[in-house]
Amino acid sequence: MTTAVGRETALASGDDSPTLAPGYPLSALVGQDDLIEALLVCAVNPAVGGVLVRGERGTAKSTAVRALAPMLCGGGAGAEQDVTVAMATVTSYSRPAPGGGGAPLVEVPLGATLDRLVGSLDVRAALAGEHRTSPGLLAQADGGVLYVDEVNLLGDHLVDALLDAAAAGRVRVERDGISVEQPARFLLVGTMNPEEGELRPQLLDRFGLGVEVAGPRDPQVRAEIVRRRMAFDADPAGFAARWEEADAALAGRLAAARERLRGVRLPQPMLERITATCVRLDLDGVRGDLTCAQAALALAALDGAEEVGPEHVARAAHLALRHRMRRDPLAPPPPPGGGDPAIDDALDGPSEPSADRGASEAAQHATPGADEGAARSDASQASSPKPSHGGQPQQPGRFARPAPTPARIPDDALTLRGARRPRPGAPIHEAPAGRAPRGTLAVVDARPARDGERVAALPTLLAALRGDARPQAAITGGGRGATVLLIIDASGSMAAQRRLARVKGAVEAALRLSYARRDRVAVVSFAGDGARTLVAPGTPIEQAAAAIADLPAGGRTPLAEGLEHAQALIDPRDGRATLALLLTDGRATDRDGRAARALARIAAAADRTVVVDLEEGRVRLGLAAELAARAGADLTRLTAPDLATPRRAA
Amino acid sequence: MHRLIAAGGHDPDFITDEQLTSAALRLPAQAYLDWYATLPADLRERMEERWGAAPGDRYLDPSNGDLVVAGIELGDVVVLIQPPRGYGEDQVGIYHDPELAPAHHYLAAYRWLEAHWQADAIVHLGKHGTLEWTPGKMLALSRSCAPDAALGAMPLVYPFVVNDPGEGAQAKRRAHAVIVDHLVPPMMRAESYDELADLEALMDEYARLEVLDPSKLPGLGAQIWAAIQRANLQEDLGIDAAHEPEDAGQLVEHLDGYLCEVKDVQIKDGLHVLGQVPQGPQLRGLIAAIARHGSGEVPGLRAAVGAWFGLDEPALVADPGQRVPADDAALLVDRFPGTAHRGSDVIDRLEEAQHALLAALAGAGWEAARVDGIVDELLGGGHGAQEPDAGLRRALRFVCEQIVPRLLQTTDEMDHVIGALNGRHVPAGPSGAPTRGRLDVLPTGRNFYSVDPRALPSELSYATGVRLADAVLERHLADTGELPRMVGLVAWGTAAMRTQGDDAAEVLALLGVRPTWHPASRRVTGLEVISLEELGRPRIDVTLRISGFFRDAFPHLLELLDDAVTLVAGLDEPDDLNYVRAAARAEAQRLAGELEEAEAWRRATTRIFGSKPGTYGAGLLQLLDTRDWRDDRDLAAVYEAWGGFAYGRGMHGEAAGPAMRSCFQRIDVAVKNVDSREHDHLDSDDYFQYHGGMVATVRALSGREPAAYLGDSADPQQAKVRTLAEETRRIFRARVSNPRWIGSMVRHGFKGAAELSATVDYLFGYDATTGVASDWMYAEVAQRYLLDEEIAAFFDEANPWAARGIAERLLEAADRGLWAEPDPAQLAAIKQRYLELEEDLEEAMA
């Protein structure tokens, strides 16, 4: 990648138009040093390849990016106005202004379609009989910043297209009879609030740098933020003027660093340090090594150094590697801000994986098929033990509870099939056949409409241009995950340590799958005197995992209450497909059939309802199966392949 | 017990993180590790092979790794549940390896007692514990032996039932226990109840009509037949359920005899309470049971009462269905009014007379001086100083002067337990079954000793053994028309100590040899062959399955029995008169290709099989508890894995699977002897494990259904043999479904409920191994132990876990088809009860 962003133009030159409100100055930001450093690194060295900013709401993510944009293209505060214009007029935008003139900050709105992103037929021109392309947002961002707020909520197919373009530096559109290629060299900045859902690992990996941000916890610092923000709101121009000098200095440092970048050397020992660190962290591929090296160069350049030093490598590693570490999706998230101890350990040289890693391995080991977990723990035993802090040498996790018996819910139980709603009149337990499975990535964005379906105007028009006269229906929700509703029996019969461990193992397996598919998960448990929502729909997955780990259990089996409670959580307006999983041993008295009726209502409301029969032992009453049959739900058994394996074979 | 279970229990099916986290008694993992590191390496290796690195993963507080001990502290006493051995944890192990090293938690619990709680001593309550059966040497234990590692230096006081010298000796030898023996449970006569009582009334009516109005007899006969079917008695009587027998008179006689036998069975009347003298009816019942056989010059008590009235009680017992002339019983009926048509009626009257006498003596404070007055008053004018009057008075004085004082000293039990804890001497005493003529074992509260193993089999027990052998052969001949060629016999060390070697003697008798004894010491000096002429039948081949304790206690007996086999196999006799030689030669020939001649002969004459050296048990209890088996082949696999080791001269437990299979597949009849009324075969897991397991193994190996017999030498003078099916029905009616027995268990709350539950397990175990239980038995148990409202209320209060266990067993039996055709309504009721129990337990544990 070349320095597409590094377009050298004059620095902020005081040509502020009095009608334009200035943006918040970058140097006035408080307490987000990591974020600013990451943005500067990308600005200095575009080869780093974009930043992913993870953090809660209201942590100045957007402010920082907006403040950086003018600095990138040297447009000063005025550039923001361009962006605003660009955003407002994007549909009539034919081609990005070539060269200078202030590179845009282009935001990708959440509701963007693929057409909008990559470009498509210029409809207006088409109506006039002209065959012309309308450039998409990717091409528009050429030479500037492509900003995706809440990238985790963007449809996967859009993220794919976006990352493809970012990697290639160009976007190629071949559709609707058009074939065109446009430059799309931009600095990709994505933000996300993990509470609203995760990004798939393969997408995570394609962001160059990853930064965790959090609101400062120091009241003094927070007070300063508030003071500055209030001052800015009261008098933006005056505020900006007060920080102009600092911003200018920053911009100058940025420009100087860009200038110096090509001359910075990466000594062999430093390169080896980077690669050794990545090996110890067991990263896939060399994307991490490469990005880390590029970031280290940029940091050295920013520091005015002539060659990369250990400090640069360390800082680069934290920026470039953290989000690539194979983190167990269900483990609690690393603390925001500051360094990751695992990376520090890896930088420090040969040692066994840290306790943090060990725990994550143990968790992975519990995952079906995670053979590598076992292999690695063997390897770690072979390495020399790390002295622990005082006392006897102890293996990490030595007193940990035994890992739950590997147990999983059969994959087919987690696959949605059938229609969103049963056909009217059809028995509710009959799965309508012949539909493509939902919940998988949509490959088309429109298809011929069926009777009674609403016709989508644009796809129909485009189809007509292709010579397909059929009315088209847009596919909504394509590529979106489903809502998975887990209903867990946590009564006394399930509370026994070993059984509960199996249930937790099974739920974790379900969560993992949901995670990979970006499903939304809700968890309801019932035990003792009632039911409760353990995980509300849309809660981040690691919080769901934590809630499962602490699953309270014991007491009677209020099966009917549990099902009624769960039923209330199903939102018929939720565009997503709904999958309801009931995990129970069925051991409850349901004399009046209330539980069966409640489950039948769930089965009617959800796209698929599966009873996972957890009854164990030689003596089985088969009540879960009975319940499923009566309610018209599917039935499956928890599979635990290792149960039959002799302990001593290990 | 409820508090103890709430404090943790040990059921991995139920234990929760919460319980483990909140448990009060705990050993920090580091403390265990530090101590564990001091154990010998070989022990640690075996433990780690099975249970992983210390401290294992069982019963750990998930929050900090402490090892949790289930128990409650009561001042200076802490009450613990013996930690589980962990068989259910490792199901595959049961199939392959009987040698289960102690789990970390097992040792940790004892370690906690010694080092943390700093107990001065341990009292193990309840025999059949696990510590003395953990792997290791049989005698002179080393540090690497599990019992030694667990106990450390803590003194162990072990109250033990006086009739179980074998297991007690084991505790002394392997767990340095000081035994304080205790009394057997009180005994009572089974009597009749419910349908059986109804039938009795009908039969009385029948006897009356026979005299008064024979024309009404056919109608009554039909009623009786209907009642028999209601009570499922047709199997017991060996008649075809589909056809009503034509001769009602014969049927009634047959039935009367059978019912009498059932109601005359001595059964346990509740449980013994340590240190407490039985009171009231329990005391009198126990006295009657002890006095039944008499002693030397003293006649048996009930027989003496009969003799007093001019009746031959033993003859009546031998044939209770027989009609008794009215004149014969006139004197008796005059004093103790009631029916007296048949022998069984007369026995009932004698029973009443006996209890009237005992009750009067009790009222008189058991003063021997009052005997004469009471006899005169209750029985009327006597015969003076002559027999039989003198006999009865002797028997009653014997009760007052010998039996009662010894029983009143039962308080020694507790005194001596306390004494032992105070470091005082516990006086020694003999061991044995008091109702089998061993009054000398009373009073209890003694540190019992067993027998001189070199005196076995004694001359008396050899006589009993001959009777047992003859009874087996007669029965087999009667049932099948031919003698068995191979008898399989189960021999336990405890029984050998109790009987002075009945089982070994039976083996010798079947082989046609007899021991020779030293004239002075009465020790066994050798063997002599009984000639075929004297024997009058072929020599019968025998295969022995010995218990681990038999091996430990009687090494020389194993050599003696092995010598007897090789001796007989080497006799130059025709094959059709020496089944041992015939089989050994055929086997040796078969092996000629693969083994040296001597080796082949050794293999072909191997007949004694037992537990792997250093281990105990037959493995089936553990297997059935896991419920992880499908059919006979699984049972046989475990039976062989646990018992396929050869013993004899020069053989010390070598793995001998092929030899065992070769012998077992030839077994025609599987025999286990029950030597005392203080036990029956539905009383303990070992019966179905060893005997049932033998039957299942023979079936799995040969595809044949071998005959299964239970020898009865409770009266050594009158050895009997019953088929397993007969004995099961008899015990089922006399005890298992008897409201009197059930009621006696109810008196004991938690433990009584546990006994009821265990009885269901044993019945199930015997059925699983031999198919002996009929559907109606399951239905009866379901009704009487589980669904009946009163009993359900009892279980809810005393021991809901036991009720849940019963329900689960019954459902398992139905599921496996052992209970082939349960009534759907009853099955649904069991399920419902099971769910309710589970809900209640869920709530209680929450």
Side-chain angles (χ1 to χ4, degrees):
Chain A
M1 225 193 264
T2 57
T3 55
V5 189
R7 197 164 285 136
E8 298 289 329
T9 45
L11 294 175
S13 55
D15 60 345
D16 315 65
S17 160
T19 53
L20 296 177
Y24 194 87
L26 187 60
S27 36
L29 281 173
V30 178
Q32 297 298 3
D33 302 342
D34 278 2
L35 171 58
I36 292 168
E37 184 169 69
L39 289 171
L40 290 177
V41 163
C42 285
V44 169
N45 186 359
V48 165
V51 185
L52 175 67
V53 188
R54 292 165 51 100
E56 54 203 52
R57 283 178 292 271
T59 44
K61 298 190 292 276
S62 302
T63 309
V65 176
R66 291 206 173 93
L68 177 74
M71 229 173 263
L72 279 180
C73 47
E80 181 144 3
Q81 174 59 16
D82 287 353
V83 171
T84 314
V85 171
M87 295 304 294
T89 60
V90 74
T91 43
S92 61
Y93 221 135
S94 289
R95 192 166 285 274
L105 172 83
V106 173
E107 278 194 64
V108 178
L110 263 186
T113 62
L114 195 60
D115 285 358
R116 180 89 180 279
L117 196 66
V118 302
S120 69
L121 192 71
D122 184 329
V123 177
R124 186 173 295 185
L127 289 174
E130 200 182 335
H131 216 209
R132 209 172 64 187
T133 52
S134 160
L137 296 175
L138 297 176
Q140 286 166 26
D142 187 36
V145 177
L146 185 72
Y147 181 56
V148 193
D149 203 6
E150 309 207 58
V151 64
N152 53 323
L153 300 183
L154 201 63
D156 282 355
H157 57 310
L158 298 182
V159 180
D160 278 340
L162 201 145
L163 289 165
D164 281 342
R170 55 211 315 102
V171 56
R172 188 181 177 84
V173 186
E174 277 185 88
R175 54 189 301 167
D176 306 331
I178 309 166
S179 176
V180 71
E181 199 175 272
Q182 293 165 315
R185 293 157 300 181
F186 49 78
L187 166 58
L188 175 65
V189 180
T191 71
M192 62 177 283
N193 177 359
E195 287 178 14
E196 289 159 351
E198 273 294 349
L199 198 60
R200 282 187 292 148
Q202 58 271 43
L203 297 185
L204 265 179
D205 187 47
R206 292 174 64 171
F207 281 96
L209 307 181
V211 182
E212 300 276 342
V213 297
R217 292 284 166 251
D218 182 345
Q220 306 264 358
V221 176
R222 292 178 86 108
E224 182 59 25
I225 291 171
V226 173
R227 258 197 301 279
R228 288 187 190 182
R229 186 76 221 182
M230 285 166 74
F232 173 78
D233 287 347
D235 175 13
F239 186 81
R242 278 202 295 287
W243 289 91
E244 201 179 316
E245 201 176 325
D247 258 17
L250 194 59
R253 191 175 152 222
L254 188 60
R258 283 175 176 155
E259 199 65 9
R260 197 179 296 114
L261 179 66
R262 286 174 197 269
V264 178
R265 279 174 295 114
L266 177 62
Q268 183 65 15
M270 289 303 110
L271 176 57
E272 282 170 5
R273 183 147 192 241
I274 290 171
T275 51
T277 301
C278 291
V279 166
R280 280 180 218 118
L281 289 172
D282 193 28
L283 299 185
D284 292 332
V286 292
R287 211 192 291 259
D289 309 47
L290 206 58
T291 313
C292 190
Q294 294 286 13
L297 285 170
L299 285 164
L302 277 166
D303 278 3
E306 292 188 351
E307 62 173 38
V308 171
E311 172 58 20
H312 303 130
V313 170
R315 279 156 65 205
H318 280 288
L319 291 173
L321 304 183
R322 189 168 188 175
H323 63 296
R324 294 174 208 275
M325 276 165 47
R326 207 180 315 197
R327 197 169 67 83
D328 179 11
L330 303 189
D340 188 307
I343 295 179
D344 285 334
D345 286 352
L347 282 163
D348 282 350
S351 77
E352 62 177 352
S354 71
D356 196 337
R357 296 279 296 138
S360 131
E361 271 165 17
Q364 290 202 3
H365 191 40
T367 319
D371 299 325
E372 57 199 315
R376 255 184 285 136
S377 62
D378 286 345
S380 75
Q381 276 163 15
S383 67
S384 63
K386 179 178 144 190
S388 69
H389 311 287
Q392 299 274 114
Q394 288 177 357
Q395 293 159 0
R398 129 174 262 163
F399 299 138
R401 193 143 36 88
T405 309
R408 59 193 186 86
I409 298 170
D411 286 344
D412 68 333
L414 285 162
T415 307
L416 281 170
R417 57 172 187 255
R420 179 82 183 86
R421 292 282 176 272
R423 288 189 307 258
I428 50 175
H429 56 277
E430 187 194 319
R435 288 277 305 268
R438 306 210 25 199
T440 55
L441 198 68
V443 289
V444 290
D445 55 357
R447 55 163 172 70
R450 289 184 217 156
D451 289 350
E453 266 186 319
R454 257 195 287 175
V455 174
L458 189 59
T460 304
L461 181 65
L462 293 172
L465 286 169
R466 283 198 306 270
D468 182 350
R470 290 177 297 177
Q472 302 281 309
I475 295 178
T476 55
R480 302 180 76 184
T483 295
V484 177
L485 176 57
L486 293 161
I487 312 163
I488 303 174
D489 178 351
S491 67
S493 58
M494 303 296 307
Q497 194 184 21
R498 56 159 64 154
R499 266 186 256 182
L500 204 60
R502 283 192 76 201
V503 173
K504 286 179 182 174
V507 172
E508 274 193 15
L511 287 181
R512 267 168 221 285
L513 205 56
S514 296
Y515 170 81
R517 302 185 332 186
R518 307 184 72 217
D519 294 333
R520 278 155 41 112
V521 174
V523 182
V524 168
S525 79
F526 56 92
D529 36 11
R532 64 171 100 177
T533 304
L534 225 52
V535 176
T539 309
I541 197 138
E542 60 265 28
Q543 286 183 22
I548 297 305
D550 298 336
L551 180 67
R556 285 181 179 268
T557 313
L559 179 59
E561 286 90 330
L563 292 170
E564 285 163 4
H565 186 94
Q567 188 209 337
L569 284 188
I570 300 180
D571 180 2
R573 290 161 305 174
D574 179 9
R576 295 165 177 243
T578 302
L579 165 64
L581 282 179
L582 167 63
L583 291 92
T584 181
D585 61 5
R587 294 218 173 151
T589 45
D590 185 26
R591 286 194 199 82
D592 49 6
R594 186 174 148 204
R597 283 197 303 277
L599 186 60
R601 286 196 297 275
I602 289 176
D607 294 79
R608 187 162 184 227
T609 303
V610 181
V611 176
V612 183
D613 186 354
L614 296 173
E615 193 171 31
E616 284 186 327
R618 188 67 186 71
V619 175
R620 294 181 181 169
L621 303 182
L623 295 177
E626 241 170 69
L627 182 71
R630 283 170 67 193
D634 294 333
L635 177 76
T636 189
R637 249 185 207 299
L638 199 60
T639 58
D642 283 12
L643 269 188
T645 314
R647 182 192 306 280
R648 301 187 62 192
Chain B
M1 283 310 296
H2 291 243
R3 276 184 62 198
L4 213 43
I5 290 169
H10 284 127
D11 189 342
D13 276 348
F14 277 103
I15 196 155
T16 63
D17 282 353
E18 210 266 321
Q19 275 177 313
L20 290 168
T21 312
S22 61
L25 314 182
R26 49 187 56 234
L27 180 68
Q30 194 56 51
Y32 176 74
L33 292 176
D34 292 347
W35 173 73
Y36 178 73
T38 67
L39 294 179
D42 55 338
L43 177 62
R44 280 184 287 147
E45 202 172 294
R46 286 193 302 271
M47 288 173 65
E48 282 165 29
E49 188 195 342
R50 198 62 168 257
W51 301 109
D57 56 8
R58 279 156 186 74
Y59 310 107
L60 302 184
D61 179 340
S63 69
N64 61 10
D66 285 356
L67 289 134
V68 170
V69 182
I72 42 179
E73 278 182 292
L74 306 166
D76 287 342
V77 177
V78 64
V79 182
L80 305 186
I81 304 175
Q82 188 167 44
R85 283 285 274 125
Y87 280 103
E89 307 278 319
D90 185 5
Q91 306 179 349
V92 177
I94 296 173
Y95 279 97
H96 297 302
D97 186 5
E99 186 170 354
L100 182 68
H104 293 295
H105 174 257
Y106 192 91
L107 292 192
Y110 282 94
R111 179 62 191 163
W112 175 85
L113 268 179
E114 181 169 26
H116 267 245
W117 201 77
Q118 299 189 328
D120 294 319
I122 299 183
V123 178
H124 266 193
L125 263 185
K127 68 156 190 163
H128 236 60
T130 53
L131 178 68
E132 59 270 28
W133 305 100
T134 49
K137 293 201 285 175
M138 55 182 80
L139 285 169
L141 271 60
S142 71
R143 291 184 66 228
S144 299
C145 299
D148 210 57
L151 264 182
M154 285 181 290
L156 172 61
V157 180
Y158 206 157
F160 222 92
V161 66
V162 69
N163 69 9
D164 197 349
E167 296 190 21
Q170 190 75 347
K172 295 166 75 144
R173 292 173 189 175
R174 302 195 73 237
H176 66 237
V178 173
I179 296 287
V180 178
D181 63 23
H182 68 73
L183 201 56
V184 298
M187 305 291 290
M188 64 180 169
R189 193 169 181 254
E191 305 293 356
S192 61
Y193 55 90
D194 298 352
E195 299 101 329
L196 303 185
D198 295 347
L199 258 175
E200 274 202 324
L202 286 174
M203 287 187 300
D204 284 348
E205 180 70 6
Y206 191 93
R208 211 171 51 78
L209 288 181
E210 268 184 324
V211 182
L212 301 178
D213 189 358
S215 69
K216 289 186 180 152
L217 285 179
L220 192 58
Q223 274 187 48
I224 289 175
W225 177 240
I228 285 174
Q229 287 181 312
R230 270 202 303 282
N232 296 294
L233 272 164
Q234 57 275 27
E235 274 178 19
D236 301 53
L237 301 174
I239 42 185
D240 186 349
H243 300 96
E244 181 178 348
E246 288 175 12
D247 186 346
Q250 205 183 351
L251 173 68
V252 168
E253 183 176 329
H254 187 175
L255 180 61
D256 208 13
Y258 181 69
L259 290 185
C260 177
E261 198 186 339
V262 167
K263 74 189 203 184
D264 208 32
V265 172
Q266 288 286 317
I267 61 171
K268 286 175 289 190
D269 184 4
L271 303 166
H272 175 57
V273 180
L274 188 69
Q276 284 186 16
V277 182
Q279 299 294 319
Q282 278 78 42
L283 177 63
R284 296 199 297 278
L286 183 57
I287 290 170
I290 294 173
R292 189 149 171 168
H293 295 301
S295 170
E297 291 291 291
V298 181
L301 181 58
R302 197 169 73 180
V305 175
W308 197 95
F309 287 109
L311 293 161
D312 183 357
E313 189 251 9
L316 293 171
V317 171
D319 188 5
Q322 195 184 25
R323 296 191 63 82
V324 176
D327 289 353
D328 289 9
L331 200 55
L332 175 63
V333 175
D334 190 38
R335 283 280 162 179
F336 298 93
T339 51
H341 309 296
R342 299 178 188 278
S344 62
D345 304 324
V346 176
I347 292 170
D348 286 352
R349 302 289 85 74
L350 290 176
E351 191 73 21
E352 288 164 21
Q354 171 181 273
H355 278 279
L357 288 165
L358 290 176
L361 277 177
W366 303 106
E367 274 185 48
R370 302 278 299 276
V371 165
D372 289 342
I374 286 170
V375 170
D376 292 344
E377 182 192 335
L378 282 178
L379 307 188
H383 313 276
Q386 292 155 11
E387 298 291 341
D389 186 44
L392 175 63
R393 288 164 202 263
R394 250 198 328 276
L396 289 173
R397 271 197 290 275
F398 186 73
V399 166
C400 294
E401 288 167 351
Q402 294 293 329
I403 299 179
V404 170
R406 289 170 191 261
L407 288 176
L408 292 179
Q409 250 180 290
T410 303
T411 48
D412 285 1
E413 292 172 6
M414 193 59 90
D415 294 346
H416 289 164
V417 168
I418 305 288
L421 293 176
N422 281 322
R424 286 203 297 272
H425 174 66
V426 176
S431 54
T435 68
R436 202 177 187 258
R438 291 295 305 277
L439 186 66
D440 60 317
V441 306
L442 304 180
T444 47
R446 303 298 184 265
N447 184 355
F448 67 46
Y449 49 83
S450 51
V451 294
D452 174 2
R454 297 202 168 269
L456 265 58
S458 70
E459 288 167 87
L460 278 175
S461 79
Y462 182 72
T464 307
V466 169
R467 282 191 281 270
L468 283 165
D470 288 348
V472 165
L473 299 181
E474 277 164 29
R475 180 69 199 237
H476 198 269
L477 193 61
D479 285 354
T480 68
E482 51 192 39
L483 291 173
R485 294 183 71 89
M486 171 72 94
V487 172
L489 190 75
V490 172
W492 294 342
T494 277
M497 288 186 168
R498 227 169 14 224
T499 65
Q500 309 276 316
D502 283 3
D503 296 324
E506 182 174 354
V507 173
L508 297 178
L510 287 168
L511 293 170
V513 294
R514 77 166 64 89
T516 54
W517 290 274
H518 188 275
S521 72
R522 309 318 296 167
R523 282 184 167 183
V524 174
T525 53
L527 294 167
E528 85 188 11
V529 174
I530 302 168
S531 69
L532 283 173
E533 294 75 39
E534 187 189 340
L535 196 59
R537 58 162 169 87
R539 302 186 192 280
I540 310 296
D541 206 350
V542 188
T543 293
L544 260 184
R545 168 64 165 98
I546 56 164
S547 69
F549 176 64
F550 191 101
R551 167 202 62 207
D552 293 358
F554 301 107
H556 71 287
L557 206 48
L558 295 177
E559 292 185 348
L560 186 81
L561 294 171
D562 187 40
D563 287 350
V565 172
T566 44
L567 177 68
V568 169
L571 293 174
D572 186 12
E573 290 171 346
D575 280 358
D576 59 345
L577 288 174
N578 187 335
Y579 297 156
V580 187
R581 175 180 174 79
R585 290 206 323 182
E587 180 73 0
Q589 210 163 4
R590 200 179 62 76
L591 295 169
E594 43 180 300
L595 296 177
E596 297 275 320
E597 195 182 330
E599 235 179 300
W601 185 246
R602 178 66 276 200
R603 165 98 78 88
T605 54
T606 300
R607 293 291 183 275
I608 305 172
F609 303 93
S611 306
K612 186 177 176 182
T615 73
Y616 303 88
L620 292 183
L621 174 73
Q622 291 85 347
L623 181 64
L624 261 58
D625 275 351
T626 65
R627 304 191 156 89
D628 183 25
W629 59 280
R630 288 155 312 199
D631 53 27
D632 286 350
R633 279 181 309 227
D634 291 343
L635 303 176
V638 170
Y639 198 77
E640 181 186 318
W642 285 58
F645 301 86
Y647 291 92
R649 192 167 292 281
M651 293 190 293
H652 305 289
E654 286 81 3
M660 179 185 178
R661 288 194 290 274
S662 157
C663 286
F664 268 63
Q665 67 189 6
R666 288 188 288 119
I667 289 177
D668 294 316
V669 52
V671 179
K672 170 82 194 84
N673 294 319
V674 185
D675 57 77
S676 140
R677 292 201 172 81
E678 292 158 20
H679 297 270
D680 61 56
H681 71 295
L682 298 179
D683 245 1
S684 149
D685 52 75
D686 281 329
Y687 287 92
F688 81 74
Q689 290 201 71
Y690 282 88
H691 186 226
M694 177 180 273
V695 172
T697 302
V698 174
R699 210 169 42 221
L701 290 174
S702 69
R704 286 179 301 117
E705 186 78 48
Y709 293 167
L710 288 166
D712 173 357
S713 63
D715 181 350
Q717 301 307 310
Q718 293 189 4
K720 284 181 205 160
V721 159
R722 297 186 189 86
T723 67
L724 173 64
E726 286 168 358
E727 181 67 355
T728 301
R729 285 188 291 260
R730 195 173 76 103
I731 295 301
F732 189 89
R733 292 194 188 282
R735 178 171 71 82
V736 176
S737 73
N738 188 338
R740 278 165 58 82
W741 182 74
I742 297 169
S744 78
M745 287 300 137
V746 166
R747 287 205 308 269
H748 293 277
F750 182 92
K751 177 64 176 163
E755 291 281 316
L756 290 172
S757 175
T759 299
V760 180
D761 286 347
Y762 305 149
L763 182 69
F764 172 88
Y766 244 123
D767 196 28
T769 47
T770 67
V772 74
S774 307
D775 273 11
W776 63 265
M777 293 182 183
Y778 284 113
E780 281 273 304
V781 165
Q783 180 57 37
R784 291 184 189 275
Y785 287 26
L786 192 69
L787 301 177
D788 174 80
E789 270 181 39
E790 269 179 48
I791 203 81
F794 160 69
F795 273 107
D796 283 345
E797 156 102 34
N799 192 341
W801 299 272
R804 184 177 175 278
I806 292 173
E808 201 166 52
R809 256 320 171 216
L810 291 171
L811 291 173
E812 185 186 356
D815 187 50
R816 288 187 183 276
L818 291 171
W819 185 359
E821 294 174 359
D823 170 30
Q826 193 179 37
L827 198 60
I830 295 171
K831 280 187 187 175
Q832 186 62 37
R833 172 91 175 114
Y834 182 61
L835 280 178
E836 286 166 9
L837 281 161
E838 191 162 278
E839 293 254 289
D840 291 348
L841 286 176
E842 279 180 353
E843 180 141 314
M845 308 281 275

